[in-house]
């Protein structure tokens, strides 16, 4: 089994910055892609950023403000969020594709989410 734990959320003023972290642990042989999603009440969960072999993707709404990075050795992904705006307020979820051995398929795992609130 694989556990995914996010941290780093909180309250920040507009224009401020936060850095989210997500660590995957447990029975992990390798990780393919790691992603950050966010969700607000009444809305669908949306992809914010993703990092995989040879690629990085961002939602248009965060390009130029957010940066995703990954520490492969630590099975950890980060999301540096700058110039935060009230519309960035959401629960941010980490999502990981991991497998437990070279013979297994990659399975998808979610963290429990961390709240980010941007308000003055």
């Amino acid at each position: 089994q694989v556990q995914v734990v996010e941290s780093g959320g909180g309250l920040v003023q507009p224009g401020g910055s936060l850095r989210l972290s997500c660590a995957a642990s447990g029975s992990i042989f390798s990780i393919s892609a790691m992603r950050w999603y966010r969700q607000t009440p009444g809305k669908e969960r949306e992809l914010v950023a993703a990092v995989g072999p040879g690629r990085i993707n961002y939602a248009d709404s965060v390009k130029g403000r957010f940066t995703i990075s990954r520490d492969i050795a630590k099975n950890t992904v980060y999301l540096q969020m700058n110039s935060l705006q009230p519309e960035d307020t959401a629960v941010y979820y980490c999502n990981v594709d991991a497998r437990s051995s070279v013979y297994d398929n990659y399975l998808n795992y979610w963290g429990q989410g961390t709240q980010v609130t941007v308000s003055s």
Side-chain angles (χ1 to χ4, degrees), residues 33-93:
M34 304 183 83
R35 310 172 187 88
W36 286 99
Y37 285 79
R38 65 186 180 187
Q39 188 171 26
T40 54
K43 292 188 176 181
E44 291 189 359
R45 196 170 292 188
E46 66 166 343
L47 179 64
V48 175
V51 57
R55 60 176 175 84
I56 291 178
N57 302 101
Y58 295 99
D60 288 343
S61 59
V62 306
K63 282 182 181 176
R65 300 189 297 122
F66 290 11
T67 302
I68 190 170
S69 61
R70 177 179 174 181
D71 187 329
I72 294 175
K74 295 183 179 179
N75 291 333
T76 299
V77 64
Y78 306 96
L79 187 66
Q80 178 66 44
M81 305 185 294
N82 298 329
S83 302
L84 283 162
Q85 300 301 318
E87 52 265 34
D88 295 314
T89 296
V91 178
Y92 284 72
Y93 295 91

Side-chain angles (χ1 to χ4, degrees), residues 10-13 18 88-90 115-119:
L11 174 64
V12 64
Q13 292 186 344
L18 278 177
D88 295 314
T89 296
Q115 177 70 46
V116 172
T117 302
V118 185
S119 175

